[in-house]
Amino acid sequence: MRAYPKGLLTVAVLLLAVVLCGGVMAAENVKVGIVLPLTGAQAKFGEIEKRSFEMAAEEINAAGGIKGSKLELLFEDDTGKPDVGRAATEKLISRDKVTVLTGGYSSAVTQAATAVAQQFKVPFLVTTGSADEITEKGYDYIFRINPTSSEYFDPFETLIQKAGGIKTMALLYENTQFGQSSAKDVEGAAKSAGIQVVVKEGYQAGAIDFKPILSKVKGAKPDIIYMVSYVMDAALLMAQCKELDINPKMFAGGGAGFTLPEFQQKAAAAADLVYSATLWSEDVPYKGAKEYFNKFKKKYNSETEYHGAEAYGSMYVVADALKRAKSFSPNDIRDALAATDMMTAFGPVKFISYGKKTQQNKLPNTFVVQWQKGKMETVWPEAFAKKKYIFPTPAWKDRK
Amino acid sequence: MAYFKVEKLVKYFGGLAAVNGVSFEVQKGEIFGIIGPNGCGKTTTFNMISGVFPPTSGKVIYQGKEIQGMKSHKICHLGVGRTFQVVKPLGRMSVLDNVTAAAFSRVNTIREAREVAEKTIDFCGLAPVADVLAKALPIAGRKRLEITRAMATRPDLLLLDETAAGLNPTELLEAIELIRKIRGNGTTVIIIEHIMHLIMTLSDRIHAINFGQSVAEGTPKEVAANPQVIEAYLGKDYA
Amino acid sequence: MKKTPVAAIVAVAALALLPLVLADNYFLHLLILFLIWVIIGSSWNIMAGYTGQVSFGHAAFFGTGAYTAGLFVMHGGFSAWWGMAFGGVAAMLLGLPFGAICFPLRGAYFALASLALNLILMHLATIAERFTGGMQGIMIMPTFVSKVPYYYITLGMAVATLVVVQSIIRSKWGYYFVSIREDQDAAESLGIDTNRYKNVSLAVSAFFTGTAGALYMNYMGFIDPHVVFSLHDYSVMAILVAIVGGVGTIYGPAVGAFIMVGLQELFRSGFFGLFKYLGDRTGSETFTQAMEVVQHAHVLVFGILVVVVILFLPNGIVGDWGKIRKSVFRSKPAA
Amino acid sequence: MGILLQTIVAGLLKGGLYALIGIGMTLIMGVMGIINLAHGQMMMVAMYIAYVLNTMGVDPYFSLLVAMPTLFLLGVLIQKYLLNPLIKVDTILPENQVLMTVGIGMVLTEVIRFIFKSDYKYVTTSYSSATFFLGGISFNVPLTIAFFIALAFTAAMFWFLIKTDLGRSIRATAQDKDAATLMGINTGRITVVTMGLGAALVAAAGCLLAPVYYIFPDLGGPFTAKAFVITILGGLGSTVGAILGGITLGMAESLGATYLGMEYEDIVGLAIFVAVLLFLPGGFKRLTKV
């Protein structure tokens, strides 16, 4: 052991000084803390949500803000990791002294972040994190605008009933929290709908070759192939279904990857006629949905999708609750959030308790879209359909 | 019963026999020299004795016990110490720490180990460089460190593998003196050496190996006179 | 080998008194992370830095400790604090057979095998949904609202780890470890059972890493396979912490932990809000953009740091302190 | 039976690509004795080159002609300025060069992320999912092409190592660096060339993979892992071993995915890796002797 480096202590003290100097803030604004993945693999969606939050806040501030003061958004990057998300939430609460929290993209990060908010009793409106457990813990400061992952399959149930002839299912899912919990829910739902699950397989996201699992699927001849996959896995799965000439009556995706433009671009012809569940599309019949979509496109010159709408909606819900709250104390804001009943671009928002869940928003409808001739069309529920769904899916060799 | 003996040692590497039937006996307290041309299997024999690898066949008997195939560290604990031809200093440790690490084979506390180490360093004449890092020693120092370290394990039988190679005449004399001192201490020594002067002066008996096989054995004089040895090995130097 | 330097005692005393002065949760959190990294870094160091057995898969032990704590909660509803008692033991029980099988493999093979062990455990924890909760992870409600108890527990553990590591290094084991690192054949010839002592070193290392994992579970309240078995966030980070600070030195990992945790947070937060502050003050977009650049750069900075440290300070900051002092403080008289 | 055949074909085709990834690694490992933990990251860089060229309308197969020389140069620079200087440095950890490759891998990944963001990119070709059928078994055209190009590259490497002076020098250095130095071989230059070759070969693998896969900055890590599994399977420095290792890994993954479940795909590969370490140290090289 050499002499203990004294210079190191100097460096440490200097660093600490820098730390203490940072974060001096102007007062008067209502601070809203937002935890999102701004770097890392999920950054794409973090970015869309961040922009949507900012857009909404600008609109609200332009329209007079909250009781005379303006919304100030403090974003913290969770990098997609629960421990970082937790630290970021703590920083927002104890250093930045935010009034209310929102955001939360991945389920894992959201779980960690909401636990902190609950401990410190700061109201937290969860935007995306969709694992069922998040609103099943009885946390009274946690609200969620996003329906839980178990509800993504709901519209398919009615569609399948209507379409008829579907008796067996192959269920493929990525081994992530979203994938594993969705698969569990879908399997249950399928069983109660009298559909036999003939293949159920998880996979590591990022595989090159799905042919082994798909040849098994081909052998089982399911009527529907339901896939919970992220965008590029989704594209490869479909492309390889085409390569292996697998012809079920229906290809269905459970949210996430199948609704993104990249899916269609990468899978090209193989994407055609694929169904997907979605919580939102610009065609939904809610006031402001189409406007939000167009405004976003114009302002940022890039595409948005349901995550953005959730964020946009969340901002309005938070603003609404702040306006109605008796004071900006956590308790009053909590009560105001609990009394929310409003329409947003994402859909109607009202926090209710059902099953094991508490303070959970329940959308009246989730939707089924289908890729038709390179365009994603809303096809279900019938009342909102822009185009008639095409069923059964013709065999690959019969397509033009 | 012989103090130490090897019987028909054989070692194959792949299809090649590096040692092919070496047998000899060593009496307690003697200095026993092994000679032979390069690549004749001397070091391989040492490696089998000290457990670096097991022999393909044959026996190594030390104080009546068969030790062939035992692990190096076990053989060390039985009282067989060795040095390496290509020195292996524990480079980033001081000379004292090198020897202390060796001393732990006999004692357990750090104080005792230090004591043993310091004594051994004094005995072997390394005291002036005790605090120097082993990697900083010149070659003579490293060779001597090998011996010192081996001595700190308190061996009853010491195997010296070319400890004099690369030394200048003064250092050579010091080495001879040290080896004599070690024997004087009651330690039996088996020595491999190329430097004829050293091995002829030191050894009580000499065993000659060629092509992995024993070819002659006897006092230095006898071996030096053996025609087979002269032909095989000494020929180049003495003819 | 010297006595504990006064500076180290002063540092520990200062850390112990810190919460009385600075009760800020955010800083306490960073300090807790720092202390956890002191534990992991020192554990990695005793095996790699002192015994010369480089592990590329220390997350295997960290994750095992964390899951031991988590599984106590998940199966049977015990407290996750039981993990503090058994997490280290579980990691050791994983490490010993692994070591027994893989230590005879010399050099890089052992490192690769440890990497494989790490990945295998991560996949198994993901697949064994019924047993581990799969990717849904294990979530508990933290025991304390305040950070202070966690801080003292972690500080205690970190100090304990350093004290144990230090006393091992100064004992027979320490001499044996370093001998094995320096030359395995020589060590064998000196009566050192190299395989056995490599295993001893592995066991110590795994034990403390596993305990750190259990502590993490208790403190963070959430684990999933990709978090605690993360190759990048734990296995590689453990190596970085040790080599930046200095492998084969007692205080190297502590210094490395301070730098790595500090840097990570510095960049993640955009120099602790400095850029945002400047941006708000001046109203200039440049600072906001600069902040985004900085936020995205932290792993890049880690990478560059590794390259620079290995090239210019191969023994880390503590190991090469003399060299640094010479070049940085050249004009000043030696301290 | 159909499922089994399809699985074998899928594994074989994927294995060809793996082999090409492995050859570069095995060369580097054989000559330098280090694991290049930035190997997959180098492939990722090559894939981004293919992507950029593709946006300009260049077919990925032609981008080989750009990506291979570029990566050769990158490999040369890395070896010359970052790895070779470490030989002279005295450190505690002998694995310093390996740790350096970890740092290099991080820098490559993050620099790419800096330029291209984390978004998924993909190369669009008309033939990405083109297939032909042989007796009901589907063959993906780009993967089949990749398989044969991989074989061609291996054959070329084999010829290069056996027949050319430079190749012989590389083999000599791989066998015994000190002896090679004594024989008058400039081993420093040989390591630089080898690293360049290794990088160029994995660049080829990247370009061949681009049409059937997609591209993102974090893609390197998993492929580095696969590359070292292949190298250990095949035996260090053995090109034939790398082909066998690649195909074995591809087949094992596919068979594992079909008969154990797709989630076991990665575990099967790792389990084989551990098994080879334990029961066949030295890999297939021990059996094939080349």
Side-chain angles (χ1 to χ4, degrees), chain B residues 2-4 26-31 63 156-157 186-188:
Chain B
Y3 169 70
F4 177 82
V26 179
Q27 305 308 319
K28 180 151 180 66
E30 75 176 334
I31 296 182
Q63 295 189 334
D156 205 55
L157 171 66
T187 309
T188 310

Side-chain angles (χ1 to χ4, degrees), chain C residues 224-237:
Chain C
D224 77 31
H226 286 244
V227 170
V228 291
F229 288 115
S230 163
L231 201 58
H232 185 270
D233 296 340
Y234 289 96
S235 294
V236 172
M237 183 81 165

